[in-house]
Amino acid sequence: MHIVIMGCGRVGSTLARALVARGHEVSVIDLDVDAFRRLGPEFTGRTIKGVGFDKEVLLKAGITNADGFAAVSNGDNSNILAARVVREQFGVKNVVARIYDPARAEVFEKMGIPTVATVRWTAGQVLAHLLPDVRKPEWLDPSMNVGLQQMNYHDDWVGMPLSQIEADLRVRVASMQRLGSGFVPDARTVLQAGDLVWLAAPLNRLAEVRELLSHAPEKH
């Protein structure tokens, strides 16, 4: 894949190195050429001086053949503008932008462009640490609405199909590990003794779900 990144700060440079390490072609755009030093001597991608919403700069970065575009500069306005130009004028559908202002991020998401809302994500992580009645989720979505957490369960849940467990608890079983091997379950999967289970649920229900699982299921 060919990925174009606007912004060579800590996020952009880390993202660029990670993509190159996975065998992808990467072009990095930044107005400050000194920022490219963050990429390190082993970086094999391209570096282009300029702003990510300039059409000529984007063409030099290979935007016409790009499989994805990430706007991760330090400016919300620049990221929003660049993402819109890339998506609307160059037809790149796989676009993501980092946005600091939560209100702007919400508007941007309604336009159909995924955002990484830095403030909301950070606040969510801090919230998960501070709440005394909620264990920190392994994953928390940027809007702070959904958490992913490994759950223990009462022995009486063993033998139940996941479809029934999901219906009873109003959750989704996102991942399981059985005999040391992880897999994505389906509705036909039956919970076995020793299974490790990760559930996705609204953040404000994680404690409730954990409590329900600690007791035998209600009889239907």
Side-chain angles (χ1 to χ4, degrees):
M1 295 178 64
H2 176 54
I3 306 296
V4 178
I5 299 172
M6 183 188 82
C8 195
R10 286 175 293 180
V11 173
S13 58
T14 300
L15 178 61
R17 292 195 304 270
L19 287 166
V20 166
R22 288 165 172 77
H24 299 294
E25 297 180 359
V26 178
S27 295
V28 182
I29 301 170
D30 201 291
L31 195 57
D32 180 9
V33 293
D34 288 336
F36 298 136
R37 295 178 181 176
R38 294 188 177 96
L39 296 170
E42 297 181 357
F43 180 71
T44 58
R46 298 167 60 190
T47 56
I48 301 93
K49 178 183 178 182
V51 292
F53 47 82
D54 185 303
K55 294 181 182 178
E56 293 299 321
V57 171
L58 287 168
L59 288 171
K60 290 179 182 179
I63 197 65
T64 55
N65 298 317
D67 299 290
F69 177 80
V72 292
S73 76
N74 291 327
D76 281 6
N77 290 335
S78 296
N79 290 341
I80 290 172
L81 181 56
R84 292 194 64 177
V85 168
V86 168
R87 183 169 183 178
E88 296 171 9
Q89 298 189 27
F90 290 97
V92 179
K93 296 182 179 179
N94 187 18
V95 174
V96 63
R98 179 174 71 170
I99 305 296
Y100 286 92
D101 186 343
R104 288 183 177 181
E106 184 175 350
V107 172
F108 212 37
E109 287 166 355
K110 290 179 179 178
M111 296 168 56
I113 297 179
T115 64
V116 177
T118 307
V119 173
R120 289 191 307 189
W121 185 87
T122 303
Q125 293 297 306
V126 174
L127 178 66
H129 280 287
L130 289 176
L131 291 178
D133 58 338
V134 177
R135 261 179 38 213
K136 181 178 179 293
E138 279 84 350
W139 176 85
L140 182 66
D141 88 295
S143 69
M144 297 185 287
N145 289 328
V146 179
L148 181 68
Q149 192 171 80
Q150 183 184 348
M151 295 282 185
N152 298 321
Y153 47 86
H154 190 278
D155 288 344
D156 285 0
W157 290 93
V158 172
M160 292 182 61
L162 296 191
S163 57
Q164 185 63 58
I165 296 174
E166 291 180 335
D168 287 353
L169 300 178
R170 293 179 288 121
V171 298
R172 288 289 181 269
V173 180
S175 176
M176 293 179 65
Q177 184 173 319
R178 179 175 293 168
L179 300 176
S181 180
F183 64 99
V184 177
D186 57 35
R188 297 170 297 177
T189 305
V190 174
L191 184 64
Q192 296 184 12
D195 285 348
L196 300 182
V197 178
W198 283 264
L199 298 181
L203 180 63
N204 60 7
R205 291 198 61 240
L206 286 175
E208 174 194 353
V209 172
R210 189 165 58 249
E211 176 66 19
L212 289 171
L213 280 170
S214 68
H215 301 288
E218 294 183 2
K219 301 298 182 182
H220 294 278

